[in-house]
Amino acid sequence: MRTSYKLSLALMLSCAAGNFHTIVQAQSKQVPQLRANNVKQIIAAMTLEEKSKLVVGMGFKMPGMPPPSKDKMNEPIDIGGFKLPPSDPDAYNIPEKVPGAAGRTHGIPRLGIPSMTVSDGPAGLRIEPIRNGDKSKTYYATAFPVATLLASSWDTELVNRVGIAFGNEVREYGVDILLAPGLNIHRNPLGGRNFEYYSEDPLIAGSMTAAIVNGVESNGVGTSIKHYAANNQETNRNSINTIVSERAMRELYLRGFEIAVKKAQPWTVMSSYNKINGTFTSQRHDLLTTILKKEWGFKGFVMTDWFGGADPVAQMKAGNDLIMPGSPSQSAAIVTAVKNGTLDINQLNANVERILNIIIKSPSFTKYKYSDKPDLAGHAKVAREAAAQGMVLLKNDDHALPLKGAKRIAVFGNTSYDIIAGGTGSGDVNKAYTISLMQGLANAGYKLQEKLSKSYTTYLAEMKLKQPKPKNFFDHPAPIPEMDVTGIVADEANGADAALITIGRNAGEGADRKLENDFYLSDAEKAMIKTIASAFHAKGKKVTVVLNIGGVIEVASWRDEVDGILLAWQPGLEAGNAIADVLSGKVNPSGKLATTFPVDYKDVPSANNFPGTPADKPEQVVYEEGIYVGYRYYDAAKVKPAYEFGYGLSYTNFKFSGLKLSSANFTNSITATVTVKNTGNVAGKEVVELYLAAPKKDLDKPEDELKAFGKTRLLAPGQSQTLSFVIKAADLASFYTDRQAWIADEGKYEVKVGSSSRMIEEKASFKLAKDITVEKVNKALMPEQTIKELKL
Ligand code: BGC
C-alpha cells in the first residue's frame, strides 16, 4: 500500500512536470510489491535465494516442545525416541501467527510476500487450544465426524455444509490452508489412517472431496487434498515402494483425485510419502506435472507431506512446488543446482509462480482480521447432524431399534463412557469436549443404570492411572481391557429394559492396525457380548452393539448373538448426542457403507500383499489385486461379504420403481430416472446407487461399478421422489494400458439401481454401437517389474 502510494505520487509529480524520463527512473528504483505488481514482475525481482526460500517451508516446531539450543539447531529433533530432521531456525525465531499449526511458508517482506500458515487436518482444525497457559481464552476447534462417516452419508450437499462450517474455523483462527481432506482408497481394512479417508470407491472419495473442498474454500481459505497418491498404508510409510499397475492407478488410486481436481480445483495438493514404482511421489514428474497439472488442469501448487521424499532438486523438477516443513539445507541445494545448471531456473520460476498465485488469494495476503471466535456452537450442530446422517444401521432384528419402549438402559463397554470422537495423529482435533454415549442418552431423556455407570467410571479412572504415558507423537497406549461384567450382568438384566454395548477402536498415522484385538474382537470383548446377550435374552430384552470405530472390523462371528448393530464410526465431538439421535429414532438412519465389511480378513483381496515384504520391515508392497479392490473384488470373485458396499438399513422401507433410460442406444449421454417411495411407517431418506456393468471384450472388468448416486429428501410415509442421473461416455470407459486410453467398448451396458451393491431393485440396459476412445493419455507411472495381477 505504502509503496504503491509513493509510486503513484511520484508518477503524478513527474507527469505534472512532464518529465517522462523521471517516471521511468522512479519506477525502476521501486522494489516491486506483490500488491501493486503482478506475479511475473515479482518473480523477475526475486533473487535466487529468495526463490529458494519461497519453495521451502519455514521449518517445523513440535507443538509443546522448547526450541533446540543454538548449538543443536542443526541436529535432528528427538521427539521421544523418534527423530525428526533438523528444523529451520526461523520456525522458532519468527513469531507464529497460529500456535500449533503444522507449518508456514517463508514471507519475503521486501517484496510484500506474506508468510502463509497451514494446519491439519481432515476432521477439524488442529491448533493449540491453550496459549501461554492462559485458560481465560481458548482456541478449541470443532471435531467433525471422521471422513469415513461423512462418506457413509452419501450426501454431498451435507458434506459441503460441513466444509462451509469447517472452513469458517480455518479462516477465523487465522489459518490460510487446511491440510485436508484425505482421500486415499481403503485398500485394506487394516490401513491405520482409513478413518481419515472416505471409501474403497474412487467416485465416492472424489465426490466427497470435491464437496468438502468447495465448502471449505468458499470461506476464502485453501485446502490440500492428500496424500497423492497410492498412500494406502502406514507401515514404513516414509519409504515404502508401492508397486502398482498403470490401470489400477488410473481407475482407482488417481481417479478420486482427478474427480476432486476437476470439480473443485483445490488450492493445493499434498504429495505422499511413499514411492510409486520405484520413485518417491514427490519426485515423479509424470504424477505431478504430466497427469495432475497437464492432463487434469490443476492450477494450484503441490506441497510435500512433512519431511517427504529425499531430493529437493528432483522435487522441484517433478513439479512439487513447495517442500514442507522445510529446512535451509533444502534451499541451499536448490540454489546450488540452479547455479551449476542441474536445475533450470524456468522450472524454479514455475514453482514459485504457482505458490505466489495462491498467496495472493490467502487471508494472510489480504490481511484478513480473523476473530479467533468462530461460531463453535453453530458448528457443533452441523457436526451432530452430519454424524447422525453418516451412521449405518447394520442389523435390526425384530425392531430392536429405535429404543422407543426402552426407557431404562444398561450401558456396557468402555467406550460408552470414553467415546472416541476421532482418530489419532495429525487427524486428531483439540476440541473443547466430547459427548459420551452416557451423556447423549441422558440428554435424550433415557434413564441409565446408575450402579453400572459408576462401576465403569471407577474402573476406567483406575485403569487410566496404570496406563503408560505415550513415548512420542506416534505412540499410543494399548486400549483399556473391557471390564468383567459376569458378576453384575444378571442384576442389570433384571433392572434395565435393554442393553447397549459399545465396541471401540482407535488408530492413526504412523502405524497400521493389527488383526488380533483390533480387526478381530478381543476375547474379553467376545465374552462380554456373550454374557450380556444371554442374560438379557433370558429376560426377553434386546441387546444392541454400537460400533465406535474408525475402520472395518470383523463382525460375522459374533453378530448373531445380538439384536441390533449400529455403526456409529468416530462421530466427532457431539458423538453421544448423535448416537442417541439415531438410537431413539429422532433421526432415522440413512447411512450406507462406503467400504465393505468382509466376513473374514482372509477374504480381503490385498490380504497377502499388506503391508508388504520383507514381513519384518516391509520395503515394497505389490498391488497384485490390481483393480479388484473392495466390492469390485467381492462381486467379481463371488465372495460374500458380511455387509456389502452400499449397505445400510432404515427404520422404514423403500420401494424403487420405474427405472427409465432416456435412450436404448448410447450417443453422448444417457439419463436414468427412478422413483423411490417410502412404503413404511416413519419418515426417512434413501440412498439411490447406480451401478453399471460394462461389456467385457478384450479386457477383464469388474462385475459392475458405482457410476452415480443420490439421496432423497426426507420422505414421509407414502411419499415418493424421482431422481435422475446422467451417464456420460467417460462412465462407460475402462483404462486400456496398451493403448494409453480410456475406451468405452461397444456392446450392451446394464444399469442397475438399488439400495446397496447387492440389493439391486431395478435394471435396464442400453447399447453402444461403436467403441469410443474417450480420452488418450500420456504414458506414465510404468511399473519397473511385471506384476502378477489378479484377473477375474
Ligand atoms: C501427515 C500429513 C499432515 C502433516 C502435517 C504428516 O505426518 O502425514 O497428513 O498433514 O504431517 O502435520
Side-chain angles (χ1 to χ4, degrees), residues 579-748:
I579 298 174
D581 286 342
V582 176
L583 292 176
S584 67
K586 184 172 160 197
V587 172
N588 186 352
S590 59
K592 305 273 180 171
L593 293 180
T595 201
T596 307
F597 274 57
V599 167
D600 200 356
Y601 185 70
K602 66 172 170 36
D603 296 343
V604 173
S606 55
N608 293 331
N609 289 291
F610 183 93
T613 52
D616 54 336
K617 193 172 190 301
E619 282 159 17
Q620 67 167 43
V621 52
V622 188
Y623 286 15
E624 287 189 340
E625 73 285 354
I627 56 157
Y628 295 104
V629 173
Y631 71 91
R632 286 172 169 75
Y633 170 77
Y634 298 109
D635 292 352
K638 313 250 177 299
V639 175
K640 196 174 182 316
Y643 296 114
E644 73 270 16
F645 178 81
Y647 171 89
L649 302 174
S650 164
Y651 296 150
T652 186
N653 298 309
F654 295 96
K655 191 172 163 11
F656 288 55
S657 65
L659 172 64
K660 270 201 214 70
L661 302 183
S662 56
S663 167
N665 294 300
F666 189 91
T667 41
N668 284 325
S669 70
I670 272 187
T671 304
T673 44
V674 69
T675 301
V676 183
K677 183 173 184 187
N678 181 348
T679 54
N681 300 322
V682 286
K685 296 179 188 172
E686 176 65 312
V687 172
V688 180
E689 307 169 23
L690 186 150
Y691 297 87
L692 190 66
K696 293 175 191 138
K697 242 175 54 181
D698 309 330
L699 196 65
D700 64 310
K701 295 179 189 176
E703 279 293 292
D704 37 44
E705 291 180 285
L706 183 75
K707 293 298 175 184
F709 59 91
K711 200 164 184 174
T712 68
R713 59 176 188 273
L714 188 72
L715 297 176
Q719 255 183 358
S720 48
Q721 186 180 344
T722 301
L723 286 91
S724 52
F725 305 95
V726 180
I727 303 167
K728 300 214 181 81
D731 299 319
L732 275 49
S734 297
F735 187 72
Y736 277 76
T737 311
D738 51 347
R739 293 189 250 171
Q740 281 168 238
W742 289 92
I743 293 169
D745 287 316
E746 56 141 324
K748 184 177 159 200

Side-chain angles (χ1 to χ4, degrees), residues 102 120 179 193 226-227 237 270 273 305-306 426 509:
D120 289 302
L179 302 173
R193 296 182 85 169
K226 66 189 187 183
H227 308 87
R237 66 172 179 162
M270 188 189 291
Y273 283 129
D305 197 348
W306 268 227
S426 59
E509 71 176 294

Side-chain angles (χ1 to χ4, degrees), residues 235-275:
T235 307
N236 198 15
R237 66 172 179 162
N238 293 85
S239 61
I240 190 85
N241 184 16
T242 300
I243 297 171
V244 52
S245 72
E246 292 147 81
R247 181 176 178 204
M249 282 304 293
R250 293 277 185 177
E251 290 194 8
L252 292 182
Y253 300 105
L254 296 181
R255 187 84 186 102
F257 285 95
E258 180 178 4
I259 294 170
V261 166
K262 289 183 175 167
K263 279 194 164 175
Q265 263 310 335
W267 286 17
T268 80
V269 168
M270 188 189 291
S271 53
S272 54
Y273 283 129
N274 53 292
K275 294 173 184 157

